[in-house]
């Protein structure tokens, strides 16, 4: 019987894990090596100690209603997209509301996590920690690793001949970037066009003499602001869109996807992507198209090599007098505190059952939380993982035999191993994955059942945003405020914008009632099909990540 649970890290996954342990009557102890909560989202000016944090200007890519904890909505006066300071404030409110801080040991580093000699029967772990130079040993019944996937910078210098031998300028990884002042008046080359690469290119264009952005893959650019000014993820991350993607032929969904991408601007004209692209990534950036249009950012192909002061690209062009090369090439995850026999059981998250459990452990008493790439908020996915895991630890849920878990892992694992910079192609549908874990935990809402008992709520769930409150309607952890949170999410989205009110004669409520009446037979049909096919594929509309 699991009672005492060690939690490594007090970021978003760690906070959710502590709370879920308490909900299940377990005894969590969270070890956090820094002096505060927040993990990646707690901004600091310093990069000392190897700690990864966001840069000064970062704002979330997913909206507050789609990224919050499922039983604790963001304050209605918070903007839809949060600067890191407001997101950290929200974390503090969550920790205080559920009294989580007393279970966290700050300035405590987990040095090692090893199986106990009797692990095959007890499933227990020995955890060695260090606080102020003093080491201590603890025994726990289970361990939840919540260090995330932004752990060590991925800096593929071998792929760029000359960067560390001939190039006389400065090069650094985006982890070391905090603000733009150090780059004022310089010619900067940004390598990598993910969300970070796009953000930094735009920001640097305000102070740098010139910014070049090197991309090797097709990239589609979206804005956080969608139809009628609403957050993009609230408009497009819906069960209805997910259902259409499953229902329609892949050729049709691909065509719809590219039409949606190009409805803002023609990506081929900008050198970003073509409708013939088979592999591509999606990034969120409102300003990048204008920077390309105004010439403050110049898009370039992949770098072939570096000379003393220039970059030579694969198309044969050269850019001279490069002062700084900024690698926005992502991160790799590592768990140096895990013993080799455990770490060797999974080479990446795709070797984990449901991206959580090492399937070959004799006892399922270790879980990796938040090590997943979703097309929506990782916060929501991490909380759902923690709810299922703690239910297993508490004995309410059970895992299948190891053989079935291994078969599931091999079935889903791609044949070709990709490097960390290609993770975008490995993202999982937010709705499909969260629904899958919710089904395991017994908390997935049933649209057909709700259509019979609460049609208004059913339609809001199916056609509206797939917000995290949906997973608090039924099952363990059911929250009495979930229904109201779902039906009022649009009001909370608009509330911070009501700083100046203007007259508007349009009546959206009557149109919504007509839409609901027309949509009812569609929802009934879709609900039946969804009940027969609970796991749907990748959503063409999702492309966001917090």
């Amino acid at each position: 019987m699991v009672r005492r649970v060690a939690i490594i890290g007090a970021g978003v996954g760690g906070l959710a894990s502590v709370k879920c342990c308490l909900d299940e009557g377990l005894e969590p102890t969270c070890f956090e090596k820094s002096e505060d909560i927040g993990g990646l989202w707690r901004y600091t000016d310093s990069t000392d100690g190897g700690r990864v944090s966001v840069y000064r200007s970062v704002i979330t890519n997913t909206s507050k209603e789609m990224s919050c904890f499922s039983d604790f909505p963001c304050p209605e006066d918070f903007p839809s997209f949060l600067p890191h300071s407001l997101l950290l404030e929200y974390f503090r409110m969550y920790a205080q509301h559920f009294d989580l801080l007393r279970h966290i040991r700050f300035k405590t580093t987990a040095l090692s996590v090893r199986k106990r000699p009797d692990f095959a029967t007890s499933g227990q772990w020995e955890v060695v920690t260090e606080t102020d130079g003093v080491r201590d040993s603890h025994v726990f019944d289970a361990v939840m690793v919540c260090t995330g996937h932004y752990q060590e910078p991925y800096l593929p210098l071998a792929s760029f001949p000359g960067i560390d031998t001939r190039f006389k300028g400065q090069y650094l990884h985006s982890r070391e970037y905090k603000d733009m002042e150090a780059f004022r008046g310089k010619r900067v080359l940004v390598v990598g066009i993910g969300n970070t690469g796009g953000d930094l290119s735009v920001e640097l264009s305000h102070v740098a003499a010139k910014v070049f952005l090197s991309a090797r893959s097709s990239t589609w650019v979206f804005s956080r602001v969608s139809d009628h000014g609403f957050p993009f993820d609230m408009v497009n991350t819906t069960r209805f869109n997910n259902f259409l993607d499953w229902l329609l032929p892949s050729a049709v969904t691909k065509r719809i996807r590219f039409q949606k991408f190009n409805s803002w601007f023609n990506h081929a004209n900008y050198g970003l992507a073509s409708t013939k692209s088979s592999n591509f990534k999606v990034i969120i950036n409102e300003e990048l198209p204008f920077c390309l249009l105004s010439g403050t950012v110049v898009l370039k192909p992949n770098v072939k090599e570096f000379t003393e002061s220039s970059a030579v690209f694969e198309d044969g062009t050269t850019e001279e007098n490069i002062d700084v090369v900024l690698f926005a090439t992502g991160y790799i995850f590592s768990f140096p505190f895990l013993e080799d026999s455990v770490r060797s059981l999974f080479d990446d998250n795709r070797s984990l059952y449901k991206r959580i459990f090492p399937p070959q452990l004799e006892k399922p008493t270790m879980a990796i939380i938040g090590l997943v790439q979703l097309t929506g908020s990782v916060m929501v996915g991490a909380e759902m993982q923690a709810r299922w895991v703690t239910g297993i630890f508490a004995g309410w849920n059970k895992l299948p035999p190891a053989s079935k878990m291994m078969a599931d892992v091999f079935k889903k694992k791609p044949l070709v191993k990709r490097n960390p910079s290609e993770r975008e192609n490995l993202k999982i549908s937010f709705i499909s994955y969260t629904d899958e874990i919710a089904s395991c935990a017994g908390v997935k809402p049933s649209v057909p059942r709700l259509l019979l008992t609460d049609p208004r709520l059913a339609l809001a769930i199916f056609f509206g945003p797939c917000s995290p409150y949906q997973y608090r309607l039924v099952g363990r952890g059911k929250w009495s405020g979930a229904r109201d949170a779902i039906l009022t999410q649009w009001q909370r989205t608009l509330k911070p914008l009501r700083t100046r009110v203007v007259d508007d004669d349009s009546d959206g409520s009557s149109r919504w009632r007509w839409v609901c009446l027309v949509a009812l037979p569609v929802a009934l049909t879709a609900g039946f099909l969804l009940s027969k096919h609970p796991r749907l594929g990748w959503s063409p509309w999702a492309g966001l990540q917090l």
Side-chain angles (χ1 to χ4, degrees):
M1 180 67 180
V2 170
R3 295 299 302 175
R4 301 184 67 237
V5 181
I7 298 170
I8 314 298
V12 58
L15 293 175
S17 295
V18 172
K19 196 260 185 184
C20 291
C21 281
L22 296 175
D23 288 345
E24 294 292 353
L26 305 175
E27 301 171 9
T29 301
C30 180
F31 300 108
E32 169 55 45
K33 66 179 180 180
S34 72
E35 68 276 9
D36 204 352
I37 64 171
L40 173 77
W41 288 98
R42 184 171 63 84
Y43 170 80
T44 57
D45 290 316
S46 174
T47 58
D48 296 339
R51 181 178 173 272
V52 177
S53 76
V54 294
Y55 39 95
R56 188 189 302 275
S57 61
V58 78
I59 296 176
T60 59
N61 282 340
T62 48
S63 64
K64 66 176 183 180
E65 294 298 320
M66 301 295 285
S67 306
C68 63
F69 295 106
S70 58
D71 56 355
F72 193 75
C74 277
E76 64 177 8
D77 60 333
F78 274 28
S80 285
F81 295 96
L82 305 179
H84 58 78
S85 58
L86 279 183
L87 185 61
L88 183 59
E89 182 180 340
Y90 170 67
F91 291 161
R92 296 194 196 286
M93 295 166 63
Y94 179 77
Q96 181 179 1
H97 181 79
F98 292 108
D99 195 20
L100 307 181
L101 294 181
R102 65 189 179 93
H103 300 279
I104 304 175
R105 298 188 184 182
F106 294 107
K107 296 183 179 180
T108 301
T109 302
L111 298 178
S112 69
V113 177
R114 297 179 175 275
K115 297 178 183 178
R116 295 270 290 169
D118 62 347
F119 180 83
T121 55
S122 70
Q124 291 183 326
W125 300 86
E126 180 181 6
V127 179
V128 177
T129 62
E130 183 176 77
T131 308
D132 296 328
V134 178
R135 296 193 176 191
D136 198 4
S137 180
H138 322 261
V139 175
F140 288 95
D141 300 314
V143 175
M144 300 175 74
V145 179
C146 305
T147 51
H149 53 257
Y150 295 101
Q151 297 178 25
E152 294 185 11
Y154 176 63
L155 197 58
L157 299 182
S159 300
F160 302 94
I163 185 65
D164 56 350
T165 56
R166 297 191 297 270
F167 184 62
K168 300 300 183 183
Q170 179 189 8
Y171 69 87
L172 67 158
H173 188 272
S174 59
R175 183 184 77 88
E176 301 177 62
Y177 180 92
K178 293 301 177 180
D179 59 43
M180 58 187 173
E181 286 304 317
F183 301 84
R184 185 174 294 275
K186 296 183 178 181
R187 289 169 62 84
V188 182
L189 169 62
V190 179
V191 178
I193 195 176
N195 283 316
T196 299
D199 284 349
L200 298 190
S201 297
V202 168
E203 182 165 295
L204 289 171
S205 71
H206 298 303
V207 298
K210 197 72 173 180
V211 177
F212 303 96
L213 176 57
S214 172
R216 68 176 182 178
S217 60
S218 290
T219 304
W220 300 93
V221 184
F222 261 92
S223 170
R224 296 173 181 88
V225 185
S226 187
D227 302 338
H228 307 292
F230 288 106
F232 173 80
D233 54 350
M234 292 188 71
V235 173
N236 292 298
T237 307
T238 69
R239 294 184 180 278
F240 176 66
N241 285 340
N242 206 41
F243 169 72
L244 286 181
D245 183 56
W246 169 80
L247 183 67
L248 298 175
S250 59
V252 175
T253 59
K254 184 177 180 179
R255 183 173 182 179
I256 294 173
R257 187 183 310 156
F258 289 149
Q259 286 179 344
K260 183 70 175 179
F261 289 153
N262 277 327
S263 63
W264 184 18
F265 67 95
N266 189 311
H267 284 64
N269 288 343
Y270 286 66
L272 285 163
S274 165
T275 55
K276 298 179 181 179
S277 306
S278 55
N279 294 318
F280 57 87
K281 63 174 65 174
V282 179
I283 68 171
I284 310 301
N285 199 304
E286 294 78 27
E287 299 180 66
L288 182 59
F290 177 73
C291 287
L292 295 173
L293 198 62
S294 64
T296 55
V297 174
V298 177
L299 194 65
K300 302 293 292 186
N302 194 39
V303 177
K304 180 181 179 181
E305 63 176 338
F306 287 92
T307 65
E308 289 187 355
S309 61
S310 63
V312 180
F313 299 91
E314 290 183 345
D315 63 354
T317 60
T318 301
E319 294 296 341
E320 304 284 351
N321 302 318
I322 300 296
D323 297 304
V324 183
V325 179
L326 182 58
F327 286 95
T329 45
Y331 293 82
I332 57 176
F333 55 84
S334 64
F335 305 99
F337 48 84
L338 294 182
E339 62 179 314
D340 292 339
S341 63
V342 175
R343 195 164 57 240
S344 64
L345 295 179
F346 55 99
D347 55 355
D348 56 32
N349 70 341
R350 292 160 291 170
S351 299
L352 299 169
Y353 179 64
K354 307 295 184 186
R355 312 296 173 109
I356 303 172
F357 288 100
Q360 294 169 307
L361 281 178
E362 301 96 314
K363 294 287 184 178
T365 55
M366 172 173 283
I368 314 297
I369 302 297
L371 192 68
V372 61
Q373 292 280 312
L374 298 178
T375 56
S377 172
V378 176
M379 286 176 55
V380 178
E383 185 197 25
M384 182 55 65
Q385 290 177 332
R387 291 178 67 186
W388 180 43
V389 167
T390 52
I392 290 171
F393 288 167
W396 295 102
N397 291 308
K398 292 185 181 296
L399 290 175
S403 59
K404 289 188 176 181
M405 289 193 288
M406 288 298 298
D408 183 80
V409 168
F410 287 129
K411 179 181 178 181
K412 296 178 180 178
K413 194 169 184 179
L415 298 177
V416 180
K417 186 175 181 179
R418 302 178 185 271
N419 65 51
S421 65
E422 295 175 311
R423 288 185 188 180
E424 189 76 20
N425 297 322
L426 300 173
K427 281 187 175 181
I428 311 171
S429 164
F430 169 76
I431 295 179
S432 296
Y433 180 77
T434 312
D435 271 0
E436 181 179 2
I437 304 304
S439 295
C440 294
V443 298
K444 179 186 173 184
S446 170
V447 175
R449 186 176 296 114
L450 283 172
L451 280 170
L452 297 176
T453 59
D454 194 340
R456 182 188 177 196
L457 180 62
L459 292 171
I461 285 177
F462 189 70
F463 291 101
C466 186
S467 49
Y469 321 118
Q470 296 189 10
Y471 301 104
R472 290 286 180 177
L473 291 168
V474 297
R476 291 185 62 79
K478 179 180 178 180
W479 175 43
S480 60
R483 182 182 188 275
D484 182 66
I486 293 169
L487 297 179
T488 58
Q489 55 196 349
W490 291 110
Q491 289 94 309
R492 285 191 303 278
T493 301
L494 294 175
K495 176 66 184 299
L497 299 175
R498 302 301 194 193
T499 54
R500 178 176 180 268
V501 181
V502 295
D503 292 332
D504 186 2
D505 295 330
S506 62
D507 184 6
S509 60
S510 62
R511 286 198 302 269
W512 172 246
R513 284 194 292 269
W514 279 108
V515 169
C516 288
L517 288 174
V518 173
L520 186 60
V522 177
L524 285 167
T525 303
F528 173 76
L529 292 173
L530 282 167
S531 66
K532 299 297 183 182
H533 302 275
R535 292 176 57 194
L536 304 184
W538 187 86
S539 170
W541 311 111
L544 307 178
Q545 177 188 356
L546 178 63

